[in-house]
Amino acid sequence: MSEAEHIVVMGVSGTGKTTIGRLVARKLHRDFIEGDDLHPTANVAQMRAGVPLTDAERLPWLRRVRDAMSEAAADGRSTVVACSALRASYRDVLRTAEGRVRFVHLAVPRAVLEHRVEHREGHFMPASLLDSQLATLEPLGADEDGVEVPVSGRAGLTVRSVLAALG
Ligand SMILES: Nc1ncnc2c1ncn2[C@@H]1O[C@H](COP(=O)(O)OP(=O)(O)OP(=O)(O)O)[C@@H](O)[C@H]1O
Ligand SMILES: O=C(O)[C@H](O)[C@@H](O)[C@H](O)[C@H](O)CO
């Protein structure tokens, strides 16, 4: 059996991790893991209240995401994961999952992000947290297994760019 592969779609809130991740998973016939669903309830309440999470608060969540990835891999299933994975140290946690872990950073101009998070309905993440999201973000390093994909245009176009960038 070949090694399972995980594609983690990363970036700040509003970049389109859920939208693009779902579509990429469908194209590749893979499981989709929504990182936001694995946050402890207290984390979601804190974000909803407009208070950024600390590294310590993110750690149990990242371990849960990592464990969901490993579980799929243990069953021989590859995945696409939506997870902000903002810092290199957070990605280090995800990299300990079973299987190959690759990252796709969706790079979206700030003005576009602002517009999206301000107009999105039914999501816990307030637009006021965008500044701290952007301040926390550490782009992928040259030594990391991943690609940065500049996002412009509709979701379908972004999906094609992601698949092309992954090769
Ligand atoms: N390529 C795209 N073009 C236009 N709008 C998009 C695109 N991708 C996502 N959107 C829209 O932007 C908003 C944010 O997308 P989405 O919820 O997928 O982002 P996210 O990164 O998962 O956000 P969060 O981390 O805050 O959950 C949604 O309203 C979605 O419809
Ligand atoms: O690390 C974080 O600050 C959080 O995980 C956020 O990034 C959210 O999960 C998500 O992106 C919601 O908008």
Side-chain angles (χ1 to χ4, degrees), residues 100-163:
R100 180 179 176 189
V101 181
R102 304 172 77 187
F103 292 89
V104 173
H105 177 204
L106 299 179
V108 180
R110 193 202 159 97
V112 176
L113 291 170
E114 273 172 12
H115 184 267
R116 285 188 191 173
V117 295
E118 275 162 17
H119 291 84
R120 188 166 58 165
E121 280 181 13
H123 195 289
F124 61 81
M125 197 71 173
S128 61
L129 278 181
L130 193 53
D131 278 339
S132 94
Q133 289 272 301
L134 288 164
T136 307
L137 174 69
E138 293 170 2
L140 288 167
D143 58 336
E144 295 187 78
D145 187 356
V147 286
E148 180 170 312
V149 175
V151 174
S152 62
R154 299 199 158 272
L157 192 66
T158 304
V159 170
R160 282 203 289 283
S161 307
V162 166
L163 294 173

Short mmCIF file of all heavy atoms in Angstrom, two decimals, residues 100-163:
data_model
loop_
_atom_site.label_atom_id
_atom_site.label_comp_id
_atom_site.label_asym_id
_atom_site.label_seq_id
_atom_site.Cartn_x
_atom_site.Cartn_y
_atom_site.Cartn_z
N ARG A 100 2.60 11.45 4.28
CA ARG A 100 3.25 12.68 3.81
C ARG A 100 2.33 13.87 4.05
O ARG A 100 1.14 13.80 3.75
CB ARG A 100 3.56 12.56 2.31
CG ARG A 100 4.23 13.80 1.75
CD ARG A 100 4.56 13.67 0.27
NE ARG A 100 5.13 14.91 -0.23
CZ ARG A 100 5.36 15.17 -1.51
NH1 ARG A 100 5.10 14.25 -2.43
NH2 ARG A 100 5.87 16.33 -1.89
N VAL A 101 2.89 14.94 4.57
CA VAL A 101 2.09 16.13 4.86
C VAL A 101 2.60 17.29 4.01
O VAL A 101 3.76 17.70 4.13
CB VAL A 101 2.18 16.51 6.36
CG1 VAL A 101 1.32 17.74 6.65
CG2 VAL A 101 1.75 15.35 7.25
N ARG A 102 1.72 17.77 3.12
CA ARG A 102 2.08 18.89 2.24
C ARG A 102 1.16 20.07 2.56
O ARG A 102 0.00 19.86 2.90
CB ARG A 102 1.90 18.50 0.77
CG ARG A 102 2.67 17.27 0.40
CD ARG A 102 2.28 16.83 -1.02
NE ARG A 102 2.91 17.64 -2.03
CZ ARG A 102 2.64 17.54 -3.33
NH1 ARG A 102 1.71 16.70 -3.76
NH2 ARG A 102 3.28 18.28 -4.21
N PHE A 103 1.68 21.28 2.39
CA PHE A 103 0.88 22.47 2.69
C PHE A 103 0.61 23.28 1.42
O PHE A 103 1.48 23.37 0.55
CB PHE A 103 1.62 23.35 3.71
CG PHE A 103 1.71 22.72 5.06
CD1 PHE A 103 2.79 21.90 5.38
CD2 PHE A 103 0.70 22.89 5.99
CE1 PHE A 103 2.87 21.28 6.62
CE2 PHE A 103 0.78 22.27 7.23
CZ PHE A 103 1.86 21.47 7.54
N VAL A 104 -0.58 23.83 1.35
CA VAL A 104 -0.91 24.79 0.30
C VAL A 104 -1.34 26.07 0.99
O VAL A 104 -2.36 26.09 1.69
CB VAL A 104 -2.07 24.28 -0.60
CG1 VAL A 104 -2.48 25.37 -1.56
CG2 VAL A 104 -1.66 23.03 -1.34
N HIS A 105 -0.54 27.11 0.84
CA HIS A 105 -0.90 28.39 1.46
C HIS A 105 -1.66 29.24 0.44
O HIS A 105 -1.11 29.61 -0.60
CB HIS A 105 0.38 29.12 1.93
CG HIS A 105 0.11 30.47 2.50
ND1 HIS A 105 1.02 31.48 2.53
CD2 HIS A 105 -1.02 30.97 3.07
CE1 HIS A 105 0.48 32.55 3.09
NE2 HIS A 105 -0.76 32.26 3.42
N LEU A 106 -2.91 29.52 0.75
CA LEU A 106 -3.71 30.38 -0.12
C LEU A 106 -3.39 31.83 0.24
O LEU A 106 -3.70 32.27 1.35
CB LEU A 106 -5.20 30.10 0.06
CG LEU A 106 -5.68 28.68 -0.26
CD1 LEU A 106 -7.17 28.57 0.01
CD2 LEU A 106 -5.36 28.30 -1.71
N ALA A 107 -2.74 32.53 -0.68
CA ALA A 107 -2.34 33.91 -0.41
C ALA A 107 -3.36 34.86 -1.04
O ALA A 107 -3.50 34.91 -2.25
CB ALA A 107 -0.94 34.16 -0.96
N VAL A 108 -4.06 35.56 -0.18
CA VAL A 108 -5.17 36.43 -0.62
C VAL A 108 -4.88 37.85 -0.17
O VAL A 108 -4.50 38.06 1.00
CB VAL A 108 -6.50 35.94 0.01
CG1 VAL A 108 -7.67 36.82 -0.43
CG2 VAL A 108 -6.77 34.48 -0.34
N PRO A 109 -5.01 38.83 -1.06
CA PRO A 109 -4.76 40.23 -0.64
C PRO A 109 -5.65 40.64 0.53
O PRO A 109 -6.81 40.23 0.61
CB PRO A 109 -5.12 41.04 -1.90
CG PRO A 109 -5.09 40.08 -3.04
CD PRO A 109 -5.41 38.73 -2.46
N ARG A 110 -5.11 41.46 1.39
CA ARG A 110 -5.80 41.86 2.60
C ARG A 110 -7.19 42.47 2.34
O ARG A 110 -8.16 42.17 3.04
CB ARG A 110 -4.91 42.88 3.35
CG ARG A 110 -5.38 43.13 4.72
CD ARG A 110 -4.93 44.43 5.29
NE ARG A 110 -5.85 44.71 6.37
CZ ARG A 110 -5.60 44.43 7.64
NH1 ARG A 110 -4.46 43.94 8.00
NH2 ARG A 110 -6.51 44.66 8.55
N ALA A 111 -7.26 43.30 1.32
CA ALA A 111 -8.55 43.97 1.03
C ALA A 111 -9.63 42.94 0.70
O ALA A 111 -10.78 43.10 1.08
CB ALA A 111 -8.37 44.96 -0.12
N VAL A 112 -9.22 41.89 0.01
CA VAL A 112 -10.18 40.83 -0.36
C VAL A 112 -10.62 40.08 0.91
O VAL A 112 -11.80 39.79 1.11
CB VAL A 112 -9.55 39.85 -1.38
CG1 VAL A 112 -10.49 38.70 -1.69
CG2 VAL A 112 -9.15 40.59 -2.65
N LEU A 113 -9.65 39.82 1.78
CA LEU A 113 -9.97 39.12 3.04
C LEU A 113 -10.96 39.93 3.86
O LEU A 113 -11.93 39.39 4.39
CB LEU A 113 -8.69 38.92 3.87
CG LEU A 113 -7.66 37.94 3.32
CD1 LEU A 113 -6.37 38.06 4.11
CD2 LEU A 113 -8.20 36.52 3.38
N GLU A 114 -10.69 41.23 3.96
CA GLU A 114 -11.57 42.09 4.75
C GLU A 114 -13.00 42.03 4.22
O GLU A 114 -13.95 41.86 4.97
CB GLU A 114 -11.09 43.54 4.67
CG GLU A 114 -10.06 43.85 5.72
CD GLU A 114 -9.44 45.22 5.54
OE1 GLU A 114 -9.95 46.03 4.74
OE2 GLU A 114 -8.41 45.46 6.19
N HIS A 115 -13.12 42.14 2.93
CA HIS A 115 -14.44 42.11 2.31
C HIS A 115 -15.13 40.78 2.61
O HIS A 115 -16.29 40.74 3.00
CB HIS A 115 -14.31 42.33 0.80
CG HIS A 115 -15.63 42.41 0.11
ND1 HIS A 115 -16.25 41.30 -0.44
CD2 HIS A 115 -16.48 43.45 -0.07
CE1 HIS A 115 -17.41 41.67 -0.93
NE2 HIS A 115 -17.58 42.95 -0.74
N ARG A 116 -14.39 39.69 2.47
CA ARG A 116 -14.99 38.37 2.70
C ARG A 116 -15.46 38.17 4.14
O ARG A 116 -16.57 37.75 4.39
CB ARG A 116 -13.98 37.27 2.37
CG ARG A 116 -13.79 37.08 0.89
CD ARG A 116 -12.92 35.85 0.72
NE ARG A 116 -12.45 35.70 -0.63
CZ ARG A 116 -11.58 34.79 -1.00
NH1 ARG A 116 -11.07 33.96 -0.11
NH2 ARG A 116 -11.21 34.68 -2.25
N VAL A 117 -14.57 38.49 5.10
CA VAL A 117 -14.94 38.19 6.48
C VAL A 117 -16.02 39.14 6.99
O VAL A 117 -16.80 38.78 7.88
CB VAL A 117 -13.74 38.13 7.46
CG1 VAL A 117 -12.80 36.99 7.12
CG2 VAL A 117 -12.98 39.44 7.50
N GLU A 118 -16.08 40.32 6.39
CA GLU A 118 -17.13 41.25 6.81
C GLU A 118 -18.50 40.84 6.25
O GLU A 118 -19.52 41.15 6.84
CB GLU A 118 -16.80 42.68 6.37
CG GLU A 118 -15.90 43.37 7.40
CD GLU A 118 -15.18 44.59 6.84
OE1 GLU A 118 -15.60 45.09 5.79
OE2 GLU A 118 -14.18 44.99 7.47
N HIS A 119 -18.49 40.16 5.13
CA HIS A 119 -19.77 39.82 4.49
C HIS A 119 -20.21 38.38 4.71
O HIS A 119 -21.28 37.99 4.28
CB HIS A 119 -19.70 40.13 3.00
CG HIS A 119 -19.64 41.60 2.74
ND1 HIS A 119 -18.45 42.31 2.78
CD2 HIS A 119 -20.61 42.52 2.54
CE1 HIS A 119 -18.70 43.59 2.58
NE2 HIS A 119 -20.00 43.74 2.43
N ARG A 120 -19.38 37.60 5.38
CA ARG A 120 -19.71 36.20 5.60
C ARG A 120 -20.72 36.07 6.72
O ARG A 120 -20.57 36.71 7.76
CB ARG A 120 -18.40 35.48 5.96
CG ARG A 120 -18.49 34.03 6.04
CD ARG A 120 -17.12 33.42 6.07
NE ARG A 120 -16.26 33.89 7.18
CZ ARG A 120 -15.17 33.28 7.54
NH1 ARG A 120 -14.78 32.20 6.91
NH2 ARG A 120 -14.44 33.74 8.53
N GLU A 121 -21.68 35.21 6.53
CA GLU A 121 -22.70 35.04 7.58
C GLU A 121 -22.57 33.67 8.23
O GLU A 121 -22.10 32.73 7.61
CB GLU A 121 -24.09 35.20 6.98
CG GLU A 121 -24.41 36.68 6.84
CD GLU A 121 -25.78 36.94 6.27
OE1 GLU A 121 -26.59 35.99 6.22
OE2 GLU A 121 -26.01 38.09 5.89
N GLY A 122 -22.99 33.60 9.49
CA GLY A 122 -23.06 32.31 10.16
C GLY A 122 -21.70 31.71 10.48
O GLY A 122 -21.55 30.50 10.56
N HIS A 123 -20.68 32.55 10.64
CA HIS A 123 -19.36 32.02 10.99
C HIS A 123 -18.90 32.67 12.29
O HIS A 123 -19.12 33.86 12.49
CB HIS A 123 -18.36 32.30 9.87
CG HIS A 123 -17.10 31.49 10.00
ND1 HIS A 123 -16.15 31.72 10.96
CD2 HIS A 123 -16.66 30.43 9.29
CE1 HIS A 123 -15.18 30.85 10.82
NE2 HIS A 123 -15.46 30.04 9.82
N PHE A 124 -18.26 31.87 13.17
CA PHE A 124 -17.91 32.41 14.49
C PHE A 124 -16.81 33.47 14.45
O PHE A 124 -16.64 34.25 15.37
CB PHE A 124 -17.50 31.27 15.44
CG PHE A 124 -16.29 30.48 14.98
CD1 PHE A 124 -15.02 30.96 15.20
CD2 PHE A 124 -16.45 29.25 14.35
CE1 PHE A 124 -13.90 30.25 14.79
CE2 PHE A 124 -15.34 28.53 13.93
CZ PHE A 124 -14.07 29.02 14.14
N MET A 125 -16.00 33.46 13.39
CA MET A 125 -14.79 34.30 13.39
C MET A 125 -15.10 35.76 13.06
O MET A 125 -15.53 36.07 11.95
CB MET A 125 -13.83 33.71 12.35
CG MET A 125 -12.41 34.17 12.49
SD MET A 125 -11.67 33.45 13.95
CE MET A 125 -9.96 33.99 13.73
N PRO A 126 -14.87 36.70 14.02
CA PRO A 126 -15.17 38.10 13.71
C PRO A 126 -14.09 38.73 12.83
O PRO A 126 -12.91 38.34 12.90
CB PRO A 126 -15.20 38.76 15.09
CG PRO A 126 -14.38 37.91 15.97
CD PRO A 126 -14.37 36.51 15.38
N ALA A 127 -14.50 39.72 12.03
CA ALA A 127 -13.56 40.41 11.14
C ALA A 127 -12.44 41.09 11.94
O ALA A 127 -11.32 41.24 11.45
CB ALA A 127 -14.32 41.43 10.30
N SER A 128 -12.74 41.44 13.19
CA SER A 128 -11.75 42.15 14.02
C SER A 128 -10.51 41.30 14.30
O SER A 128 -9.48 41.83 14.71
CB SER A 128 -12.39 42.56 15.34
OG SER A 128 -12.82 41.40 16.04
N LEU A 129 -10.58 40.00 14.08
CA LEU A 129 -9.41 39.15 14.37
C LEU A 129 -8.46 39.04 13.18
O LEU A 129 -7.40 38.40 13.28
CB LEU A 129 -9.85 37.75 14.82
CG LEU A 129 -10.23 37.63 16.29
CD1 LEU A 129 -10.63 36.21 16.65
CD2 LEU A 129 -9.08 38.08 17.19
N LEU A 130 -8.82 39.69 12.09
CA LEU A 130 -7.97 39.57 10.89
C LEU A 130 -6.55 40.09 11.12
O LEU A 130 -5.57 39.47 10.71
CB LEU A 130 -8.65 40.29 9.72
CG LEU A 130 -8.07 40.01 8.33
CD1 LEU A 130 -8.01 38.51 8.03
CD2 LEU A 130 -8.90 40.72 7.27
N ASP A 131 -6.44 41.23 11.83
CA ASP A 131 -5.11 41.80 12.10
C ASP A 131 -4.22 40.80 12.83
O ASP A 131 -3.06 40.61 12.48
CB ASP A 131 -5.22 43.06 12.97
CG ASP A 131 -5.57 44.27 12.13
OD1 ASP A 131 -5.32 44.23 10.90
OD2 ASP A 131 -6.11 45.24 12.69
N SER A 132 -4.77 40.18 13.87
CA SER A 132 -3.92 39.25 14.64
C SER A 132 -3.63 38.00 13.82
O SER A 132 -2.55 37.42 13.92
CB SER A 132 -4.55 38.93 16.00
OG SER A 132 -5.30 37.76 15.94
N GLN A 133 -4.58 37.58 12.99
CA GLN A 133 -4.33 36.43 12.11
C GLN A 133 -3.13 36.74 11.19
O GLN A 133 -2.21 35.93 11.05
CB GLN A 133 -5.57 36.15 11.25
CG GLN A 133 -6.74 35.56 12.03
CD GLN A 133 -6.67 34.04 12.10
OE1 GLN A 133 -6.66 33.37 11.10
NE2 GLN A 133 -6.60 33.52 13.30
N LEU A 134 -3.14 37.95 10.60
CA LEU A 134 -2.07 38.32 9.66
C LEU A 134 -0.74 38.51 10.39
O LEU A 134 0.32 38.17 9.86
CB LEU A 134 -2.47 39.58 8.89
CG LEU A 134 -3.57 39.35 7.84
CD1 LEU A 134 -4.19 40.67 7.39
CD2 LEU A 134 -3.04 38.59 6.63
N ALA A 135 -0.81 39.00 11.63
CA ALA A 135 0.43 39.20 12.40
C ALA A 135 1.02 37.86 12.83
O ALA A 135 2.24 37.72 12.97
CB ALA A 135 0.14 40.07 13.62
N THR A 136 0.18 36.87 13.03
CA THR A 136 0.65 35.55 13.48
C THR A 136 1.20 34.72 12.32
O THR A 136 2.10 33.90 12.50
CB THR A 136 -0.52 34.78 14.15
OG1 THR A 136 -1.09 35.60 15.15
CG2 THR A 136 -0.06 33.48 14.77
N LEU A 137 0.69 34.98 11.13
CA LEU A 137 1.05 34.16 9.97
C LEU A 137 2.55 34.16 9.66
O LEU A 137 3.16 35.22 9.53
CB LEU A 137 0.30 34.69 8.73
CG LEU A 137 0.66 34.02 7.41
CD1 LEU A 137 0.18 32.57 7.37
CD2 LEU A 137 0.08 34.80 6.24
N GLU A 138 3.13 32.99 9.57
CA GLU A 138 4.50 32.83 9.09
C GLU A 138 4.39 32.07 7.77
O GLU A 138 3.99 30.91 7.77
CB GLU A 138 5.34 32.03 10.08
CG GLU A 138 5.58 32.75 11.39
CD GLU A 138 6.21 31.86 12.46
OE1 GLU A 138 6.50 30.67 12.18
OE2 GLU A 138 6.38 32.34 13.59
N PRO A 139 4.75 32.72 6.65
CA PRO A 139 4.64 32.03 5.37
C PRO A 139 5.52 30.78 5.35
O PRO A 139 6.44 30.64 6.17
CB PRO A 139 5.14 33.06 4.36
CG PRO A 139 5.10 34.37 5.05
CD PRO A 139 5.24 34.09 6.52
N LEU A 140 5.25 29.89 4.42
CA LEU A 140 6.02 28.65 4.32
C LEU A 140 7.49 28.96 4.09
O LEU A 140 7.83 29.83 3.28
CB LEU A 140 5.50 27.83 3.13
CG LEU A 140 4.13 27.17 3.31
CD1 LEU A 140 3.61 26.68 1.96
CD2 LEU A 140 4.22 26.01 4.30
N GLY A 141 8.36 28.23 4.76
CA GLY A 141 9.79 28.38 4.56
C GLY A 141 10.25 27.51 3.40
O GLY A 141 9.53 26.59 2.98
N ALA A 142 11.45 27.81 2.88
CA ALA A 142 11.97 27.06 1.73
C ALA A 142 12.15 25.59 2.07
O ALA A 142 12.13 24.73 1.19
CB ALA A 142 13.28 27.68 1.28
N ASP A 143 12.34 25.30 3.35
CA ASP A 143 12.59 23.91 3.77
C ASP A 143 11.28 23.15 4.05
O ASP A 143 11.31 21.99 4.46
CB ASP A 143 13.46 23.91 5.03
CG ASP A 143 12.81 24.68 6.18
OD1 ASP A 143 11.96 25.58 5.90
OD2 ASP A 143 13.13 24.39 7.34
N GLU A 144 10.13 23.81 3.85
CA GLU A 144 8.86 23.13 4.15
C GLU A 144 8.28 22.53 2.88
O GLU A 144 8.42 23.09 1.80
CB GLU A 144 7.87 24.13 4.78
CG GLU A 144 8.34 24.61 6.15
CD GLU A 144 7.27 25.45 6.84
OE1 GLU A 144 6.32 24.88 7.38
OE2 GLU A 144 7.39 26.69 6.82
N ASP A 145 7.60 21.38 3.04
CA ASP A 145 6.99 20.69 1.91
C ASP A 145 5.66 21.39 1.61
O ASP A 145 4.65 21.10 2.25
CB ASP A 145 6.77 19.21 2.29
CG ASP A 145 6.28 18.36 1.12
OD1 ASP A 145 6.05 18.92 0.03
OD2 ASP A 145 6.13 17.13 1.32
N GLY A 146 5.69 22.33 0.68
CA GLY A 146 4.46 23.06 0.42
C GLY A 146 4.62 24.09 -0.68
O GLY A 146 5.73 24.33 -1.16
N VAL A 147 3.50 24.68 -1.04
CA VAL A 147 3.48 25.69 -2.10
C VAL A 147 2.58 26.84 -1.67
O VAL A 147 1.61 26.65 -0.94
CB VAL A 147 2.94 25.13 -3.44
CG1 VAL A 147 3.96 24.23 -4.11
CG2 VAL A 147 1.61 24.43 -3.26
N GLU A 148 2.94 28.03 -2.17
CA GLU A 148 2.06 29.17 -1.96
C GLU A 148 1.31 29.43 -3.26
O GLU A 148 1.92 29.47 -4.32
CB GLU A 148 2.89 30.39 -1.56
CG GLU A 148 2.02 31.60 -1.32
CD GLU A 148 2.78 32.77 -0.70
OE1 GLU A 148 3.51 32.55 0.30
OE2 GLU A 148 2.65 33.89 -1.22
N VAL A 149 0.01 29.58 -3.16
CA VAL A 149 -0.80 29.80 -4.35
C VAL A 149 -1.49 31.16 -4.23
O VAL A 149 -2.32 31.37 -3.34
CB VAL A 149 -1.86 28.68 -4.51
CG1 VAL A 149 -2.79 28.96 -5.67
CG2 VAL A 149 -1.17 27.32 -4.70
N PRO A 150 -1.10 32.09 -5.11
CA PRO A 150 -1.79 33.39 -5.08
C PRO A 150 -3.22 33.22 -5.57
O PRO A 150 -3.45 32.56 -6.57
CB PRO A 150 -0.98 34.26 -6.06
CG PRO A 150 0.10 33.40 -6.61
CD PRO A 150 -0.12 31.99 -6.19
N VAL A 151 -4.16 33.79 -4.83
CA VAL A 151 -5.57 33.59 -5.16
C VAL A 151 -6.15 34.84 -5.80
O VAL A 151 -6.07 35.92 -5.26
CB VAL A 151 -6.38 33.25 -3.89
CG1 VAL A 151 -7.86 33.19 -4.21
CG2 VAL A 151 -5.91 31.94 -3.30
N SER A 152 -6.68 34.66 -6.99
CA SER A 152 -7.48 35.74 -7.60
C SER A 152 -8.54 35.04 -8.41
O SER A 152 -8.33 33.96 -8.93
CB SER A 152 -6.61 36.64 -8.47
OG SER A 152 -6.06 35.91 -9.52
N GLY A 153 -9.67 35.66 -8.48
CA GLY A 153 -10.74 35.07 -9.28
C GLY A 153 -11.57 34.07 -8.52
O GLY A 153 -11.48 33.97 -7.28
N ARG A 154 -12.36 33.35 -9.24
CA ARG A 154 -13.35 32.47 -8.63
C ARG A 154 -12.74 31.20 -8.06
O ARG A 154 -11.61 30.84 -8.39
CB ARG A 154 -14.41 32.10 -9.66
CG ARG A 154 -15.15 33.28 -10.18
CD ARG A 154 -16.46 32.89 -10.81
NE ARG A 154 -17.35 34.04 -10.83
CZ ARG A 154 -18.16 34.35 -9.83
NH1 ARG A 154 -18.23 33.61 -8.76
NH2 ARG A 154 -18.93 35.41 -9.90
N ALA A 155 -13.54 30.50 -7.26
CA ALA A 155 -13.04 29.31 -6.58
C ALA A 155 -12.54 28.25 -7.57
O ALA A 155 -11.50 27.63 -7.33
CB ALA A 155 -14.14 28.74 -5.69
N GLY A 156 -13.27 28.06 -8.67
CA GLY A 156 -12.88 27.03 -9.66
C GLY A 156 -11.47 27.26 -10.18
O GLY A 156 -10.69 26.32 -10.36
N LEU A 157 -11.14 28.53 -10.38
CA LEU A 157 -9.82 28.89 -10.89
C LEU A 157 -8.76 28.59 -9.83
O LEU A 157 -7.67 28.08 -10.13
CB LEU A 157 -9.84 30.39 -11.23
CG LEU A 157 -8.67 30.92 -12.02
CD1 LEU A 157 -8.66 30.31 -13.42
CD2 LEU A 157 -8.78 32.45 -12.14
N THR A 158 -9.09 28.90 -8.59
CA THR A 158 -8.14 28.64 -7.50
C THR A 158 -7.88 27.14 -7.36
O THR A 158 -6.75 26.72 -7.15
CB THR A 158 -8.70 29.20 -6.17
OG1 THR A 158 -8.97 30.58 -6.35
CG2 THR A 158 -7.74 29.02 -5.03
N VAL A 159 -8.94 26.35 -7.50
CA VAL A 159 -8.77 24.90 -7.40
C VAL A 159 -7.80 24.42 -8.49
O VAL A 159 -6.88 23.64 -8.23
CB VAL A 159 -10.13 24.17 -7.53
CG1 VAL A 159 -9.94 22.67 -7.67
CG2 VAL A 159 -11.00 24.49 -6.33
N ARG A 160 -7.97 24.95 -9.70
CA ARG A 160 -7.06 24.54 -10.79
C ARG A 160 -5.63 24.97 -10.47
O ARG A 160 -4.70 24.21 -10.69
CB ARG A 160 -7.53 25.14 -12.12
CG ARG A 160 -8.71 24.38 -12.71
CD ARG A 160 -8.81 24.59 -14.22
NE ARG A 160 -9.24 25.94 -14.57
CZ ARG A 160 -10.49 26.39 -14.49
NH1 ARG A 160 -11.45 25.58 -14.07
NH2 ARG A 160 -10.79 27.62 -14.82
N SER A 161 -5.46 26.18 -9.93
CA SER A 161 -4.11 26.64 -9.58
C SER A 161 -3.49 25.76 -8.50
O SER A 161 -2.30 25.44 -8.53
CB SER A 161 -4.13 28.07 -9.04
OG SER A 161 -4.79 28.92 -9.91
N VAL A 162 -4.32 25.36 -7.53
CA VAL A 162 -3.81 24.50 -6.44
C VAL A 162 -3.35 23.16 -7.01
O VAL A 162 -2.24 22.69 -6.71
CB VAL A 162 -4.90 24.29 -5.36
CG1 VAL A 162 -4.54 23.17 -4.41
CG2 VAL A 162 -5.16 25.59 -4.59
N LEU A 163 -4.17 22.56 -7.85
CA LEU A 163 -3.82 21.24 -8.40
C LEU A 163 -2.57 21.35 -9.26
O LEU A 163 -1.69 20.48 -9.21
CB LEU A 163 -5.00 20.66 -9.19
CG LEU A 163 -6.23 20.32 -8.32
CD1 LEU A 163 -7.40 19.91 -9.19
CD2 LEU A 163 -5.91 19.22 -7.30
#
